[in-house]
Amino acid sequence: TTPAAITTKPPSATTTHGFHNRHHHSHNTMASTPSSSTFPIPSSFQELESPPYNLLPYPHSFSDDDEAARAESFEVLIRIVEGGNRTLVNSSGLALFEEEEEEGECDAWNDGVRIQALYTLVRKSDSLAPATRARLVKALCDAVHHLSSALANPGNTAMSSSSSPENNSTNNFVVSQSFRDAYACHIYMLFTLMFFTESQEKLGKSLGVTSSTSSNSRSKKTTKKKNNSTNNSSTPSDSEALQTSRTLCATAMLTASQ
């Protein structure tokens, strides 16, 4: 199911640098140029591992030798996302995305490294330690909030979509391709994370386990043992963490849809 925020907002017709180049014409307010590379919403999340996206399940540098190495690799990925957020916060909004890019290159902010980190973290979100998962939720929500704010308050960075007198009274404007790429990518990643979280929670309830408990184990066998020892119920902190995650995600998606 395609998220409403993507179908009702300009990112539904967005494109993403760093992927395969395609010709794309948009009749949306934030129209793309004919030479843009498109970022179609995939029919499934793992389709991002196929053309034109060509992401990997894990980046080449990811170490899966043991639990400690795996945890450290996830830590590196979450730091990439958080570091990019700090750059976004300290930037001048849309001005961060205004620099011209070479054909086929990733833009400076939402580059291939960040997109790969997001994909791996979201894809393996139920394997993350609770604290790391909470950081992922916050980082994604913060990014969507800041990108939405930049779009809502373009200031002098937005360019009029037309200089004709009849359009001077409208609010139509064109933002850079790289901004549209980043916005669509982050909304899609956030929606997918929300979907995974709710699906895991429903499945957990039907099996007598919870997503928060299963995130602490890499196998169903271990998860079931832990749940049996706690009478198949989550702790108050687990419930609170889930509710906090839901609230943060819903608020971010609401902001993006407005």
Side-chain angles (χ1 to χ4, degrees), residues 43-105:
S43 58
S44 68
F45 191 58
Q46 286 193 327
E47 189 178 318
L48 292 175
E49 296 178 21
S50 304
Y53 319 95
N54 298 318
L55 297 177
L56 302 172
Y58 299 94
H60 292 299
S61 60
F62 194 94
S63 177
D64 200 19
D65 294 338
D66 52 45
E67 287 298 324
R70 185 178 177 85
E72 179 58 30
S73 293
F74 281 131
E75 175 68 17
V76 170
L77 297 182
I78 197 68
R79 286 177 182 173
I80 290 172
V81 177
E82 291 174 336
N85 281 7
R86 287 190 292 272
T87 300
L88 180 62
V89 171
N90 295 327
S91 70
S92 301
L94 295 181
L96 178 64
F97 303 90
E98 287 191 332
E99 294 184 4
E100 292 294 327
E101 306 295 332
E102 294 294 330
E103 182 84 10
E105 287 188 1

Side-chain angles (χ1 to χ4, degrees), residues 130 201 210-213 215-216 233-244:
E201 188 68 13
T210 63
S211 62
S212 53
T213 303
S215 67
N216 293 322
S233 62
S234 60
T235 65
S237 60
D238 292 334
S239 299
E240 290 171 4
L242 177 60
Q243 186 56 45
T244 298

